[in-house]
């Protein structure tokens, strides 16, 4: 048997008869004499066992090897793709006997004339590299050029060694070349060759699968376009098609679960409104129209027999807590228990205090349950608590509830899918209200929370102090200190926020602990507190309590204060190294101030070294709209950073770059809805799509995504 992989030529139009397909997309590659066993093993180790699977390993980027970048004469923050010749290669030493490998590369077209360009590539801790790169090699390099003591250097470039026969119509040169995520045991070139071969040898018919997405192009054509494109436009079209297929599968699952969840028997709650009316009368303010609207929406849900599954989305300070209280009172009035689950100890504690203040006068029995604290409100009335507030310790205490009718989950995305399901399993399909203060871009809501109905608090209660946000580039510390002191002298309180707990060598970020000492000296006569993630739970609580009670005037803190903390007298927030925070995160943080009637200040301090960061922070100066900011954040940082992919269930998505494409998501959703409307059980005309449903049995309660 002869393996014909080397020097594969591009398929010519109307190519020879030896390109007739010889395998079917789902054949086991190990059973075919097409690839050497070593390659098959490497692919199998990466989970790729069939042509279909290998062809689904899409390029992570492309190099246009028809036009290489000019050889650099200065460092650049943008990666360049170069073609060059190695003129010298060898091992070098640096300090204490440690060694690294270095290759000097000149412009491929170099004619020896001065100014032709020369570059050094370095590899550290890669003992095998000296076997790969030799003087005389022609190479393609990809990486960022920096200046090291006057020399232009690329450390650990991605590289590929060219061969003589690459000239002409090779798949490796003089075309747009795909670059793949590495697969152990397969060189980039080899992988490219295998994929090219499989595209030639796989029967196009066998590649077709039921995706639910109509398309003019065959799957084979689309795969060819994405692996070996003639233009980047071709890539864009093919990738969009694959993204649509992926989102369709996601939406089909979401829609499927939504239908299944609503089919389950829930309970009818909220017919009696005595408590709710008394609650309204006890409030010193009128509810906003948005609050009233949201309460109406959830009353409708609760009164029907199908279980409520609703997301309450509202910017910080929009009054979500009061909507939750209304829902919980309705549950209590119907004779069952209501639970509120908060993401942290501090928040559970704070919710407990707030709820006690409003609900205890109405005669509601309340309890706090967290991992290290249990407390019940003391009432003349005996009996089970009616409203239970806690952290996820609630989840693991199976006897916590005797009759759970409603679960309110605060800050949903901080909980995992499994946790949410676990809590829900405790009751007999209770109504669920999920509250999130993180404004989630509409496109993501559709994807992640697609199985939830959405209520929106898009209006802030009146009488709020205005919050002025200002970016300050490297101001004088004395000016900053003076501003803080003025606020404190006026009786206000301040948050002094830092991005990290401990000094990091590389980031050179002033730590909160270090800052605490400095601020104590800067603010004599005022009590300064310190709050960070490494404090123990009860230490944190003690600090928060002292801040809430006004004993601490200025709180040096890391982002642990991010969610839900409510101290109306705090009017100033100084954010150090603001460029290190995400936009949505800063927006969350500044929601902590201006909660009372006083004017609030959010000062974003930055060194100004990064123009992009300055531009980004400028958005916060201009906009107070959480959704607008979240969308900007999504565009700038991608969905992973915005939500944390693992938690949001987006980890398995390949085409996350399309998540900001509202049109595409809507299209996927519409297609999925249409399919289920036509064939709700997927056992008729769309039977082929049944395989796309990931959770086949949904008794564990609603899930956020597949
Ligand atoms: P969120 O949970 O959405 O961040 P909260 O429910 O904690 O907001 O409300 C923020 C602040 O606004 C609280 O101090 C609360 O007392 C107050 N508040 C809530 N609703 C109203 C309203 N309709 N009118 C005036 N103040 C309100
Ligand atoms: Mg109901």
């Amino acid at each position: 048997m002869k393996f014909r992989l080397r020097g594969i030529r591009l398929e010519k139009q109307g190519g020879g008869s030896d390109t007739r397909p010889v395998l079917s997309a789902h054949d086991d590659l190990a059973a075919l004499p097409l690839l050497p066993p070593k390659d098959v093993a490497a692919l199998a180790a990466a989970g790729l066992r069939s042509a279909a699977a290998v062809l689904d390993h899409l390029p992570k980027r492309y190099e246009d090897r028809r036009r290489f970048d000019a050889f650099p004469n200065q460092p650049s923050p943008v990666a360049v793709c170069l073609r060059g010749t190695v003129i010298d290669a060898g091992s070098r030493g640096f300090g204490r006997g440690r060694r690294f490998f270095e290759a000097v590369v000149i412009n491929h077209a170099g004619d020896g004339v001065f100014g032709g360009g020369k570059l050094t590539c370095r590899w550290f801790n890669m003992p095998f590299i000296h076997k790969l790169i030799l003087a005389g090699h022609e190479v393609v390099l990809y990486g960022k050029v920096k200046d090291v003591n006057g020399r232009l250097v690329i450390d650990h470039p991605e590289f590929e060694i060219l061969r003589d026969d690459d000239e002409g119509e090779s798949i490796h040169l003089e075309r747009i070349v795909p670059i793949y995520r590495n697969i152990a045991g397969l060189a980039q070139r080899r992988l490219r060759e295998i994929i090219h071969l499989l595209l030639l040898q796989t029967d196009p018919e066998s590649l077709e699968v039921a995706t639910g997405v109509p398309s003019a192009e065959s799957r084979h054509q689309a795969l060819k376009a994405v692996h070996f494109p003639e233009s980047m436009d071709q890539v864009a079209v093919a990738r969009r098609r694959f993204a649509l297929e992926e989102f369709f599968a996601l939406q089909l699952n979401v829609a499927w679960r939504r239908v299944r969840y609503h089919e389950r028997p829930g309970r009818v709650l909220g017919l009696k409104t005595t408590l709710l009316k008394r609650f309204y009368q006890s409030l010193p303010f009128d509810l906003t129209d948005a609050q009233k609207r949201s309460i109406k929406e959830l009353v409708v849900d609760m009164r029907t027999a199908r279980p409520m599954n609703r997301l309450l989305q509202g910017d910080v300070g929009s009054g979500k807590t009061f909507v939750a209280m209304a829902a919980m009172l309705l549950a209590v009035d119907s004779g069952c228990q209501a639970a509120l689950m908060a993401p942290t100890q501090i928040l559970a504690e704070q919710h407990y205090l707030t709820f006690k203040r409003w609900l205890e006068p109405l005669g509601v029995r309340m309890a706090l349950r967290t991992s290290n604290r249990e407390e019940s409100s003391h009432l003349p009335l005996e009996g089970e608590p009616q409203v239970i507030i806690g952290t996820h310790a609630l989840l693991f205490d199976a006897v916590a509830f005797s009759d759970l009718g409603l679960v309110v989950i605060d800050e949903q995305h901080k909980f995992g899918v499994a946790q949410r399901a676990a809590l829900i399993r405790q009751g007999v399909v209770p109504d669920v209200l999920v509250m999130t203060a993180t404004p989630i871009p509409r496109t993501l809501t559709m994807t992640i929370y697609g199985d939830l109905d959405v209520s929106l608090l898009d209006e802030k209660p009146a009488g709020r102090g205005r919050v002025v946000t200002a970016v300050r580039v490297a101001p004088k510390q004395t000016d900053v200190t003076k501003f803080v002191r003025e606020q404190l002298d006026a009786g206000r309180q301040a948050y002094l926020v830092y991005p990290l707990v401990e000094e990091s060598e590389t980031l050179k970020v002033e730590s909160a602990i270090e800052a605490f000492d400095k601020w104590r000296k800067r603010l004599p006569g005022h009590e300064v507190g310190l709050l960070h993630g490494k404090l123990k739970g009860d230490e944190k609580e003690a600090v928060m309590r002292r801040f809430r009670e006004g004993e601490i005037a200025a709180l040096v803190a890391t982002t642990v204060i991010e969610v839900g903390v409510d101290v109306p007298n705090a009017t100033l927030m100084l954010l150090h190294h603001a460029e290190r925070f995400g936009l949505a995160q800063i927006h969350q943080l500044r929601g902590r101030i201006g909660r009372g009637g006083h004017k609030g200040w959010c000062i974003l301090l930055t060194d100004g070294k990064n123009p992009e960061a300055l531009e980004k922070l400028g958005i916060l100066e201009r906009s107070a709209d959480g959704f607008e900011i979240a969308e900007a954040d999504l565009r700038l940082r991608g969905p992973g950073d915005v939500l944390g992919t693992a938690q949001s269930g987006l980890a398995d998505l390949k085409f996350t770059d399309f998540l900001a494409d509202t049109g595409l998501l809507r299209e996927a959703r519409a297609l999925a809805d249409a399919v289920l409307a036509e064939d709700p059980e997927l056992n008729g005309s769309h039977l082929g799509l049944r395989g796309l449903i990931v959770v086949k049995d949904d008794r564990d309660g609603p899930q956020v995504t597949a």
Side-chain angles (χ1 to χ4, degrees):
M1 186 190 321
K2 187 158 179 265
F3 299 113
R4 297 188 58 243
L5 262 181
R6 285 217 159 183
I8 286 176
R9 297 279 134 189
L10 275 182
E11 182 190 13
K12 293 237 170 73
Q13 278 301 317
S17 57
D18 59 332
T19 58
R20 218 174 339 108
V22 299
L23 77 153
S24 177
H26 297 282
D27 286 350
D28 182 0
L29 289 174
L32 297 165
L34 190 72
L35 302 174
K38 179 169 135 316
D39 292 349
V40 172
L43 290 169
L48 310 177
R49 293 187 172 77
S50 65
V54 176
L55 294 178
D56 257 354
H57 189 75
L58 301 184
K60 65 169 184 187
R61 62 180 181 88
Y62 299 85
E63 287 179 359
D64 188 345
R65 295 188 181 170
R66 296 166 304 189
R67 291 177 284 273
F68 287 95
D69 289 316
F71 240 66
N73 47 28
Q74 61 186 42
S76 149
V78 185
V80 290
C81 182
L82 307 169
R83 182 171 175 183
T85 307
V86 179
I87 54 165
D88 188 17
S91 188
R92 310 271 183 269
F94 75 108
R96 278 172 284 151
R98 292 197 289 166
R99 302 191 72 72
F100 64 99
F101 185 82
E102 188 176 281
V104 180
V105 181
I106 58 164
N107 194 346
H108 155 75
D111 45 15
V113 181
F114 61 88
K118 193 159 120 180
L119 191 72
T120 304
C121 299
R122 305 190 301 184
W123 288 268
F124 299 86
N125 302 318
M126 290 184 65
F128 292 103
I129 197 93
H130 72 273
K131 290 188 184 151
L132 301 177
I133 297 190
L134 303 173
H137 272 156
E138 265 219 58
V139 287
V140 173
L141 297 169
Y142 178 82
K144 289 180 190 167
V145 181
K146 57 184 185 183
D147 185 319
V148 179
N149 304 327
R151 285 198 307 175
L152 293 178
V153 169
I154 305 184
D155 281 333
H156 292 261
E158 288 185 35
F159 72 96
E160 200 173 309
I161 293 158
L162 297 174
R163 281 204 265 268
D164 291 345
D165 59 1
D166 282 342
E167 298 292 348
E169 286 181 88
S170 156
I171 61 171
H172 304 297
L173 206 55
E174 281 165 40
R175 63 173 351 274
I176 298 173
V177 173
I179 308 291
Y180 299 95
R181 263 181 299 112
N182 279 328
I183 288 181
L186 279 180
Q188 194 58 240
R189 287 176 68 92
R190 188 65 150 191
L191 183 56
R192 193 178 301 132
E193 285 165 354
I194 290 171
I195 287 174
H196 189 260
L197 182 75
L198 291 178
L199 273 173
L200 282 181
Q201 302 281 24
T202 307
D203 175 11
E205 282 290 310
S206 69
L207 275 166
E208 296 298 328
V209 281
T211 61
V213 177
S215 179
E217 259 192 345
S218 74
R219 189 168 198 80
H220 184 259
Q221 281 169 318
L223 283 168
K224 206 170 143 193
V226 84
H227 284 291
F228 294 97
E230 268 146 35
S231 70
M232 289 312 287
D233 286 349
Q234 258 193 4
V235 175
V237 171
R239 279 180 54 82
R240 193 170 197 281
R241 171 222 175 113
F242 292 133
L244 182 58
E245 289 178 1
E246 180 172 82
F247 290 175
F248 170 80
L250 192 68
Q251 291 302 326
L252 190 69
N253 274 280
V254 163
W256 173 269
R257 272 198 300 274
R258 183 191 173 91
V259 171
R260 294 296 156 311
Y261 190 69
H262 284 324
E263 276 170 359
R264 303 191 314 177
R267 52 209 299 174
V268 175
L269 301 175
L271 294 177
K272 197 171 153 215
T273 55
T274 319
L275 273 173
L276 189 63
K277 286 196 189 108
R278 286 178 47 213
F279 172 62
Y280 285 165
Q281 279 157 13
S282 74
L283 290 177
F285 47 72
D286 289 330
L287 292 178
T288 64
D289 287 341
Q291 282 171 318
K292 285 183 200 153
R293 187 182 356 101
S294 298
I295 292 170
K296 264 198 202 122
E297 286 164 353
L298 60 86
V299 166
V300 170
D301 283 1
M302 290 176 76
R303 285 184 180 166
T304 55
R306 61 171 222 193
M308 173 165 80
N309 200 22
R310 184 166 285 278
L311 177 72
L312 178 63
Q313 214 179 352
D315 220 336
V316 269
S318 58
K320 291 182 295 297
T321 318
F322 289 81
V323 175
M325 279 187 219
M328 293 174 98
L329 286 173
L330 285 170
V332 169
D333 232 354
S334 301
C336 56
Q337 291 176 309
L340 184 144
M341 195 158 85
T344 66
Q345 181 96 12
I346 291 177
L347 281 174
E349 161 114 343
Q350 187 176 291
H351 273 309
Y352 183 64
L353 292 177
T354 311
F355 275 65
K356 236 164 79 162
R357 174 166 163 218
W358 298 103
L359 304 193
E360 231 176 31
L362 306 177
V364 175
R365 295 188 298 275
M366 305 204 26
L368 174 70
R369 296 224 172 99
T370 66
S371 46
N372 56 5
R373 188 146 168 190
E374 274 212 27
E375 192 178 312
S376 294
S377 57
H378 300 288
L379 285 169
L381 299 160
E382 286 292 310
E384 290 273 322
Q386 295 162 301
V387 165
I388 300 139
I389 292 177
T391 53
H392 55 233
L394 272 180
L395 285 177
F396 305 107
D397 184 357
V399 294
F401 313 106
S402 53
D403 183 19
L404 184 62
L406 172 72
V407 181
V408 178
I409 302 177
D410 190 10
E411 296 296 332
Q412 155 67 19
H413 67 278
K414 298 260 155 78
F415 290 107
V417 171
Q419 284 174 307
R420 184 174 152 204
L423 181 69
I424 288 162
R425 217 177 290 137
Q426 305 230 339
V428 189
V429 200
D431 282 348
V432 173
L433 179 67
V434 174
M435 303 196 290
T436 176
T438 309
I440 300 164
R442 279 165 269 270
T443 54
L444 282 188
T445 313
M446 214 175 354
T447 310
I448 303 166
Y449 299 117
D451 56 341
L452 278 73
D453 300 301
V454 179
S455 290
L456 200 59
L457 292 182
D458 50 5
E459 179 189 359
K460 287 238 169 111
R464 280 303 165 72
R466 209 161 55 88
V467 175
V468 175
T469 298
V471 179
R472 287 292 174 269
V473 178
K476 279 215 284 288
Q477 183 59 50
T478 47
D479 292 346
V480 177
T481 305
K482 183 162 165 275
F483 191 76
V484 176
R485 202 178 303 134
E486 277 167 11
Q487 292 291 315
L488 301 188
D489 288 346
R492 304 283 84 77
Q493 288 166 279
Y495 296 102
L496 312 169
V497 185
Y498 288 81
L500 282 182
V501 181
E502 274 164 4
E503 179 81 14
S504 148
E505 275 287 309
T506 44
L507 296 174
K508 293 273 186 292
V509 174
E510 198 176 3
S511 77
I513 295 165
E514 203 177 290
F516 172 59
D517 289 331
K518 287 190 190 151
W519 279 108
R520 272 207 297 202
K521 292 190 192 101
R522 286 172 195 154
L523 301 171
H526 293 291
E527 185 71 17
V528 180
L530 174 64
L531 185 71
H532 60 69
K534 298 227 165 128
L535 290 181
K536 291 198 193 71
D538 45 353
E539 292 172 331
K540 263 188 227 166
E541 272 172 65
V543 173
M544 269 323 291
R545 201 172 302 125
R546 289 176 61 215
F547 188 62
R548 225 164 17 226
E549 285 161 9
E551 203 181 307
I552 291 174
L555 187 62
V556 173
T558 58
T559 49
V560 287
I561 59 160
E562 190 172 340
V563 265
V565 172
D566 192 7
V567 181
N569 190 44
T571 54
L572 172 62
M573 177 172 288
L574 274 191
L575 219 70
H576 298 82
H577 310 285
E579 72 283 351
R580 303 199 53 78
F581 294 82
L583 289 185
Q585 195 183 13
I586 296 179
H587 182 65
Q588 278 263 340
L589 283 165
R590 73 176 166 183
R592 308 293 127 234
I593 49 177
R595 297 204 132 204
H598 298 284
K599 184 173 175 182
W601 303 91
C602 176
I603 317 279
L604 308 176
L605 301 173
T606 177
D607 57 16
K609 282 184 187 141
N610 183 347
E612 273 168 42
L614 273 182
E615 198 181 319
K616 183 183 94 172
L617 295 176
I619 298 172
L620 291 163
E621 270 183 327
R622 289 190 301 275
S623 174
D625 177 347
F627 288 97
E628 192 181 318
I629 289 160
E631 306 236 354
D633 218 20
L634 179 64
R635 273 198 314 278
L636 291 168
R637 298 197 306 154
D641 281 329
V642 175
L643 287 165
T645 40
Q647 281 173 340
S648 63
L650 296 175
D652 295 335
L653 283 186
K654 271 192 196 164
F655 296 94
T656 49
D657 50 325
F658 284 92
L659 277 173
D661 187 337
T662 323
L664 191 78
L665 279 155
R666 281 192 208 294
E667 204 176 326
R669 175 111 196 214
L671 282 168
D673 285 346
V675 163
L676 283 183
E678 207 179 293
D679 184 7
E681 299 295 323
L682 295 179
N683 55 8
S685 51
H686 294 288
L687 182 64
L689 300 178
R690 190 66 174 79
L692 293 177
I693 301 298
V694 178
V695 183
K696 300 217 165 88
D697 183 348
D698 180 54
R699 262 171 303 189
D700 284 350
Q703 300 195 4
V704 178
T705 59

